[in-house]
């Protein structure tokens, strides 16, 4: 029989703790995305389009626009339920980002492709950092509220031999 292990807690209690941790993660993620990820991506855009002399707020609007589209694409890929959902979503997002950079910043040629590559790498790094920050904050909030035990917050799924 399969078993959920959360830190050192197993069985039904481990499953409850894992569900509690997931609940906090889901509650924290929109705030991390809105308050950390979008301004970080806007700052990156400000740096790579420094010669355009645009306000940070203009880059921030574009950043919100890109994040909204990426969330729609990710949700759509989850609804399709295919093994290639992530790849399809990434391809759609990259195509969208290409045309969005071309239209919004009036970019073209090699500089557009170079900036698209740089934005893609930055976006991926910012997303990974946001996910890690979300997991850390969810764990800290759970500990502070007393709903998660002190110690290891990593859970795993085990199957007995």
């Amino acid at each position: 029989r399969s078993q959920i292990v959360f830190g050192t807690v197993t069985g039904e209690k481990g499953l409850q703790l894992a569900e509690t941790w997931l609940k906090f993660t889901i509650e924290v993620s929109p705030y991390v995305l809105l308050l950390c990820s979008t301004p970080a991506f806007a700052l990156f855009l400000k740096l790579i389009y420094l010669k355009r002399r645009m306000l940070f707020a203009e880059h921030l609007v574009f950043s919100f626009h890109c994040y909204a589209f990426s969330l729609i694409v990710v949700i759509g890929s989850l609804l399709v339920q295919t093994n290639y959902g992530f790849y399809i979503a990434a391809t759609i997002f990259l195509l969208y980002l290409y045309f969005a950079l071309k239209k919004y910043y009036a970019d073209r040629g090699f500089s557009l492709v170079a900036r698209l590559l740089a934005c893609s790498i930055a976006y991926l790094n910012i997303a990974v950092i946001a996910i890690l920050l979300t997991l850390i904050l969810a764990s800290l909030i759970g500990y502070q509220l007393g709903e998660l035990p002190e110690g290891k917050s990593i859970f795993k799924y085990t199957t007995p031999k």
Side-chain angles (χ1 to χ4, degrees):
R1 187 168 170 219
S2 300
Q3 182 175 1
I4 296 287
V5 179
F6 187 90
T8 58
V9 182
T10 61
E12 188 65 32
K13 181 67 175 167
L15 180 61
Q16 289 173 348
L17 290 173
E19 288 174 349
T20 302
W21 184 68
L22 183 62
K23 178 187 79 164
F24 284 122
T25 301
I26 291 170
E27 288 177 6
V28 167
S29 64
Y31 299 104
V32 171
L33 181 68
L34 220 70
L35 300 175
C36 299
S37 300
T38 47
F41 189 60
L43 180 63
F44 180 77
L45 289 168
K46 176 87 173 152
L47 293 174
I48 65 170
Y49 285 104
L50 205 53
K51 290 183 180 180
R52 303 288 164 120
R53 298 196 184 262
M54 296 174 77
L55 297 174
F56 178 75
E58 293 174 286
H59 298 291
L60 190 59
V61 168
F62 183 79
S63 179
F64 281 128
H65 183 78
C66 287
Y67 271 90
F69 184 79
S70 70
L71 290 176
I72 290 169
V73 170
V74 166
I75 290 169
S77 72
L78 292 174
L79 293 176
V80 172
Q81 294 183 349
T82 178
N83 293 338
Y84 304 106
F86 172 76
Y87 301 110
I88 294 168
T91 303
I92 291 171
F93 178 72
L94 287 175
L95 285 170
Y96 178 79
L97 187 59
Y98 172 83
F99 289 111
L101 290 172
K102 184 176 180 179
K103 176 85 172 165
Y104 191 77
Y105 292 104
D107 211 350
R108 62 180 198 271
F110 177 74
S111 65
L112 173 61
V113 174
R115 287 181 176 138
L116 173 67
L117 182 62
C119 283
S120 303
I121 293 169
Y123 195 91
L124 180 63
N125 287 327
I126 290 169
V128 168
I129 291 168
I131 290 168
L132 293 174
L133 186 60
T134 298
L135 298 176
I136 291 167
L137 286 175
S139 297
L140 290 175
I141 291 170
Y143 296 146
Q144 283 298 111
L145 295 176
E147 294 189 35
L148 293 176
E150 294 289 330
K152 296 181 181 178
S153 65
I154 306 296
F155 65 89
K156 58 185 175 182
Y157 181 76
T158 62
T159 51
K161 296 177 183 178

